[in-house]
Amino acid sequence: GYEAQLGASHPDTLSFGSNLGVVLKQQGKLAEAEALYRRALKGRRAALGDEHPDTLLSLNNLGMLLQARARPRDAVELFRLA
């Protein structure tokens, strides 16, 4: 897969993981989606910086997921960063 070919911190690998998180969220697999969103956010922060649009998208995705998991306080913290 992407990770084996490009490495874990490559932007395409991080996008793939984030996209998989979207699908898992839609399937109701919120814990699995959260893990992928957190991984994408961490990787994007390291590779692209805090202000990059992809990093901000990861913040939003994770915030929306936390809101869906009834964790509004955690979600608000992320939304403030975005």
Side-chain angles (χ1 to χ4, degrees), residues 8-62:
S9 63
H10 191 280
D12 289 345
T13 302
L14 299 170
S15 290
F16 177 75
S18 182
N19 292 341
L20 180 56
V22 170
V23 173
L24 291 172
K25 181 183 176 204
Q26 290 172 343
Q27 293 177 345
K29 299 176 181 179
L30 302 183
E32 291 176 66
E34 182 176 344
L36 288 171
Y37 284 159
R38 288 188 182 280
R39 182 176 178 191
L41 176 58
K42 181 179 179 181
R44 285 176 166 168
R45 278 183 158 160
L48 305 172
D50 287 340
E51 299 299 319
H52 191 279
D54 288 347
T55 303
L56 298 174
L57 177 63
S58 288
L59 281 168
N60 183 69
N61 286 347
L62 182 55

